[in-house]
Amino acid sequence: MNTYLEFEKPIEELDNKVHELKSLNDNAPSDNLLEEITQVEDKINETYKKIYSSISPWQRTLIARHPQRPKTREYIQNLIEDFFPLSGDRFFSEDKAILGGFGKFRGKTVLVIGHEKGHDTTSRIEHNFGMPRPEGYRKAQRLMKLAEEFDIPVISFVDTPGAYPGVGAEQRGQSEAIAKTTECCLSLGVPIVAIIIGEGGSGGAVAIGTGNTVLMLENSIYSVISPEGCSSILWKDNTKTVEAASALKLTAEDMLKIDVIDKIVKEPIGGAHRNPHRIIESVGDEIEKYLNLLSNQHGNDLKHARQERYLQIGRSGLFSDKTSAANTVLDEKFGKSGSKKRFFKGLLSRSILGVIAGLLFVGLLVYLFI
Amino acid sequence: MNWLTRTISKVFPRKKKSLDIAENAWIKCSQCQTMLYSSDLEKTLFVCPNCDEHLQIHPRIRFKNLFDGGVFEEIKYPSGFTDPLNFKALKTYKERFNDARQKTDMDDCFLIGYGQINNINVTIAAQNFHFMGGSVGASAAEAMIKAAEHSVTNHTPLIVFTCSGGARMDENQHSLQSLPKTTIACQMVKDAKLPYIVINTNPTSGGVSASFGSLGSITLAEPNALICFAGPRVISNTVGETLPDGFQRSEYLLEHGFIDQVVHRKELKDKLSQIISLLLKRVA
Ligand SMILES: [Zn+2]
């Protein structure tokens, strides 16, 4: 059974038609039926192109959360051979919201970690909808340190609404767990390739999504807060999700523009859930490419490159301000006396230059006409 | 004449306005609701004389009381206004940001000071909740980097007072990516084998507690501060669990093993110099 999002409804009809025609053709094969099937399938593609040509950030959010979108478990099943799952944080418990284990990826041993949301009611509850408790993050730290010990690269799949907001999670230090996991990612001496495959929900996503390379699926989202949360806090209204999703600029394209991610992985027509095998293969190809690029680098270089990557994010524009850049120069020239600094800062400001230019101009007029 | 007053204020900028929140204002204690006169509060370091609640304090007033003789050098950090999302909800980000600058007389939510506490050179960064809820965006993240660099260059311990609701939604990713960025700041100080001391104040939550706020080599907290990842309201609204007594307050975190000591504001200075002296093996 397929699940159709509101804006996918036109597809549902066409899908049913294809289904019907195919069963007719199974009973009594005919060229006519085959041709008709091709026509409807073309129509499906066309309709998808039309839908996706004007897709809104809120619609992308819904695709990113689509119940049939491939989850970490499917990526592991299809990309990793010889997978050996590992459990527990060695302090408190196992947390199935984050999966982890060693296995072979295209011939090489890797560590895979990733949020798992589950695919039906039972498994969603089992995996806590992909919302980790501190134990999940501490397990991730344990496995990453193990990978470093054996010089094994890390692949991290990010897909979470966020870290779990619960009493127990808070008691056991959700904040500390997230902070230490990010710190662990940043200090690791082996390559980390992170891929946002669905929802990159805030700190709970960053904790295991801090890598040398960060990839993102075309219809995934990455945001410090959900559109729902943003709507209720900044609009003080629960219904402004469409506006909030647009304002937050949470799409892959937006992320690429500000260098938060390194590459967008294109999804098949209709989104990853229309053709899971295709997207899983594309993701595999990209991971392979980036792991190869990172494979010959020294541990320390990897660490430095990763830190540099994160230091650079958000810097454009910050240093151009007169209060900062100009000041450092002035500080050197005139020492750090506040009043002088402020005076020169004032002198530098555009409005002062404007006033001086204005006075000169008036002076010129007076000179010319008297 | 508006342009002229504006121009004049640029040539002769705001004088002594820095402690403006303390001037001529009645402040209501958030705990016992007593109305308190702000200049009286300054004498008690913004601790309620009636119920001992630690109210939010402007970093300049904090520094004045913390540094020997009230003397410190303010360290500037990159703080050009950037609005990558061109963000607008009910108000534009720019409006909210400018309001905050006006209200607090700060570049962003951090104030960085360099000076001595009990004759030990230290670098201190403190957040102001009144600057957009102490939320961290690109500029505040740079403040942490700047403070860390300053600490490493001058071989000073880095002391950070956290006070924040967490992320600055208006910057979305630049705010979210401040988690790794500020974590790097902590690593710089630790790599230089210098003490990184965090004091969690009311409130410390979300992205701040999930990054530099939880990474202290030593972690102290002011009494009764809310310290959490997800706030109490979020927890009761989304998962509907009942909250235990004292949940997410300093004393509760001390009991659960996430805080080294809960320290009264008037004792902080001596506590800080004590632990720094011990760590750096200074002869008193
Ligand atoms: Zn009181």
Side-chain angles (χ1 to χ4, degrees):
Chain A
M1 255 317 271
N2 280 336
T3 311
Y4 294 90
L5 301 169
E6 194 54 41
F7 57 91
E8 287 180 314
K9 290 290 179 205
I11 303 289
E12 183 169 15
E13 258 168 60
L14 296 167
D15 272 353
N16 289 341
K17 187 97 183 272
V18 170
H19 194 74
E20 207 175 289
L21 290 168
K22 277 187 176 165
S23 56
L24 281 176
N25 190 53
D26 285 348
N27 290 335
S30 89
D31 284 350
N32 274 354
L33 278 173
L34 283 177
E35 199 178 315
E36 212 177 320
I37 290 172
T38 319
Q39 277 173 3
V40 183
E41 281 175 341
D42 284 349
K43 185 94 193 284
I44 290 177
N45 282 348
E46 254 172 62
T47 314
Y48 261 128
K49 273 185 196 152
K50 216 171 131 192
I51 293 174
Y52 275 75
S53 66
S54 62
I55 196 163
S56 74
W58 172 244
Q59 288 171 324
R60 279 203 204 276
T61 306
L62 297 176
I63 300 169
R65 296 171 179 168
H66 197 288
Q68 282 162 326
R69 195 171 172 84
K71 309 285 189 297
T72 297
R73 192 183 63 114
E74 282 146 284
Y75 285 94
I76 293 176
Q77 277 170 355
N78 290 284
L79 290 174
I80 308 295
E81 287 168 52
D82 218 8
F83 186 64
F84 193 95
L86 297 166
S87 317
D89 66 342
R90 298 299 182 269
F91 292 110
F92 187 75
S93 78
E94 158 67 345
D95 180 356
K96 289 196 170 68
I98 292 184
L99 300 179
F102 291 101
K104 291 250 186 250
F105 169 67
R106 301 193 175 171
K108 287 177 189 155
T109 301
V110 292
L111 169 72
V112 181
I113 50 175
H115 302 101
E116 173 59 41
K117 284 183 168 179
H119 56 277
D120 56 21
T121 312
T122 322
S123 63
R124 275 184 204 120
I125 291 167
E126 185 187 349
H127 295 285
N128 200 30
F129 303 85
M131 294 186 285
R133 297 179 167 91
E135 296 72 44
Y137 293 110
R138 290 182 184 130
K139 172 171 77 178
Q141 287 172 47
R142 181 172 78 83
L143 302 193
M144 284 194 277
K145 283 173 186 162
L146 203 52
E148 185 179 42
E149 213 175 295
F150 291 93
D151 204 16
I152 293 167
V154 180
I155 302 172
S156 176
F157 293 101
V158 177
D159 189 15
T160 180
Y164 185 66
V167 170
E170 291 287 321
Q171 280 171 338
R172 300 191 299 278
Q174 188 70 288
S175 295
E176 192 265 0
I178 292 172
K180 285 278 166 65
T181 311
T182 314
E183 191 181 43
C184 179
C185 285
L186 283 165
S187 55
L188 217 62
V190 290
I192 306 175
V193 173
I195 314 100
I196 298 149
I197 54 171
E199 255 184 302
S202 199
V206 168
I208 65 164
T210 302
N212 292 85
T213 304
V214 182
L215 308 172
M216 190 163 167
L217 265 59
E218 193 182 355
N219 296 313
S220 291
I221 55 161
Y222 199 11
S223 183
V224 76
I225 189 164
S226 67
E228 290 91 336
C230 182
S231 158
S232 78
I233 297 173
L234 288 187
W235 272 266
K236 303 184 189 350
D237 177 349
N238 289 328
T239 65
K240 299 283 182 199
T241 51
V242 176
E243 288 87 342
S246 301
L248 284 168
K249 298 209 168 58
L250 41 63
T251 70
E253 224 172 290
D254 296 315
M255 294 307 117
L256 191 64
K257 275 185 209 152
I258 52 171
D259 297 324
V260 166
I261 60 164
D262 300 278
K263 185 162 187 187
I264 298 172
V265 185
K266 282 269 177 202
E267 293 187 23
I269 283 181
H273 57 285
R274 283 297 282 194
N275 197 339
H277 280 280
R278 208 148 108 222
I279 189 65
I280 290 171
E281 279 314 301
S282 311
V283 166
D285 292 346
E286 293 297 338
I287 294 174
E288 188 180 10
K289 199 173 89 190
Y290 281 98
L291 275 184
N292 284 342
L293 284 174
L294 297 166
S295 68
N296 296 322
Q297 298 182 27
H298 264 271
N300 257 342
D301 295 342
L302 285 166
K303 186 180 151 179
H304 282 135
R306 201 182 301 124
Q307 292 191 334
E308 200 49 37
R309 181 188 189 282
Y310 284 93
L311 281 176
Q312 289 312 322
I313 293 176
R315 281 200 164 161
S316 77
L318 271 187
F319 292 81
S320 61
D321 183 71
K322 49 185 186 285
T323 58
S324 51
N327 265 358
T328 15
V329 183
L330 288 171
D331 284 350
E332 282 161 18
K333 274 191 179 162
F334 303 107
K336 307 224 162 169
S337 125
S339 61
K340 264 188 201 163
K341 196 165 72 185
R342 286 200 161 153
F343 178 75
F344 282 102
K345 186 173 105 191
L347 204 64
L348 271 182
S349 76
R350 256 170 291 170
S351 59
I352 292 294
L353 290 180
V355 171
I356 293 171
L359 287 174
L360 284 177
F361 182 68
V362 172
L364 187 71
L365 286 180
V366 171
Y367 175 77
L368 283 176
F369 291 98
I370 293 180
Chain B
M1 289 315 267
N2 211 0
W3 66 273
L4 188 61
T5 31
R6 248 181 305 167
T7 312
I8 286 173
S9 76
K10 280 196 175 165
V11 187
F12 306 104
R14 44 204 184 187
K15 245 190 248 161
K16 281 245 157 199
K17 207 189 92 191
S18 54
L19 306 180
D20 58 350
I21 63 146
E23 278 168 359
N24 312 318
W26 288 97
I27 290 169
K28 195 201 250 176
C29 171
S30 51
Q31 191 67 19
C32 71
Q33 317 295 324
T34 308
M35 293 304 289
L36 303 155
Y37 199 54
S38 59
S39 55
D40 290 339
L41 271 174
E42 222 182 314
K43 287 175 211 138
T44 61
L45 306 177
F46 280 76
V47 174
C48 174
N50 188 37
C51 72
D52 214 36
E53 175 73 358
H54 284 50
L55 305 172
Q56 282 154 359
I57 179 170
H58 193 291
R60 275 204 189 88
I61 302 175
R62 194 188 274 287
F63 284 2
K64 219 177 86 184
N65 288 285
L66 215 48
F67 285 109
D68 294 347
V71 180
F72 66 95
E73 180 192 338
E74 189 177 327
I75 311 296
K76 287 281 177 184
Y77 53 90
S79 54
F81 175 70
T82 55
D83 186 9
L85 313 187
N86 215 347
F87 195 89
K88 183 178 189 298
L90 294 177
K91 267 183 164 184
T92 66
Y93 177 27
K94 191 165 191 167
E95 285 171 301
R96 279 156 47 80
F97 186 87
N98 286 338
D99 287 353
R101 276 200 170 169
Q102 199 88 50
K103 194 164 82 178
T104 59
D105 192 33
M106 287 168 65
D107 290 334
D108 205 304
C109 70
F110 266 106
L111 190 72
I112 310 174
Y114 173 49
Q116 294 196 316
I117 55 170
N118 295 332
N119 300 316
I120 308 169
N121 289 339
V122 292
T123 307
I124 309 183
Q127 285 183 287
N128 188 349
F129 193 80
H130 295 281
F131 198 109
M132 298 188 76
S135 60
V136 174
S139 170
E142 288 302 332
M144 276 298 293
I145 297 288
K146 185 79 191 185
E149 283 172 350
H150 184 271
S151 138
V152 173
T153 314
N154 296 282
H155 301 284
T156 49
L158 177 62
I159 300 167
V160 172
F161 287 87
T162 58
C163 190
S164 172
R168 190 169 297 172
M169 275 173 270
D170 318 56
E171 288 190 25
N172 195 1
Q173 279 302 325
H174 285 174
S175 176
L176 186 54
Q177 300 303 327
S178 74
L179 271 71
K181 205 174 210 175
T182 55
T183 300
I184 294 169
C186 307
Q187 287 179 317
M188 287 159 71
V189 179
K190 291 178 186 175
D191 286 350
K193 295 203 180 300
L194 291 161
Y196 170 52
I197 302 173
V198 174
I199 301 98
N200 289 157
T201 77
N202 189 34
T204 296
S205 70
V208 167
S209 96
S211 59
F212 62 93
S214 289
L215 292 171
S217 305
I218 305 288
T219 307
L220 308 176
E222 290 188 340
N224 200 35
L226 177 72
I227 306 162
C228 59
F229 177 65
R233 215 177 316 143
V234 173
I235 295 174
S236 47
N237 285 353
T238 51
V239 297
E241 294 177 43
T242 34
L243 311 179
D245 278 350
F247 184 55
Q248 298 180 321
R249 296 286 161 180
S250 309
E251 296 72 14
Y252 189 88
L253 268 87
L254 178 72
E255 204 178 303
H256 283 82
F258 291 98
I259 299 284
D260 289 300
Q261 285 188 24
V262 177
V263 181
H264 196 284
R265 200 172 276 165
K266 66 181 181 216
E267 286 162 9
L268 257 172
K269 178 171 173 159
D270 289 345
K271 287 276 183 187
L272 285 169
S273 67
Q274 184 192 356
I275 184 61
I276 292 169
S277 298
L278 289 167
L279 290 174
L280 299 182
K281 304 179 201 78
R282 283 172 57 103
V283 193

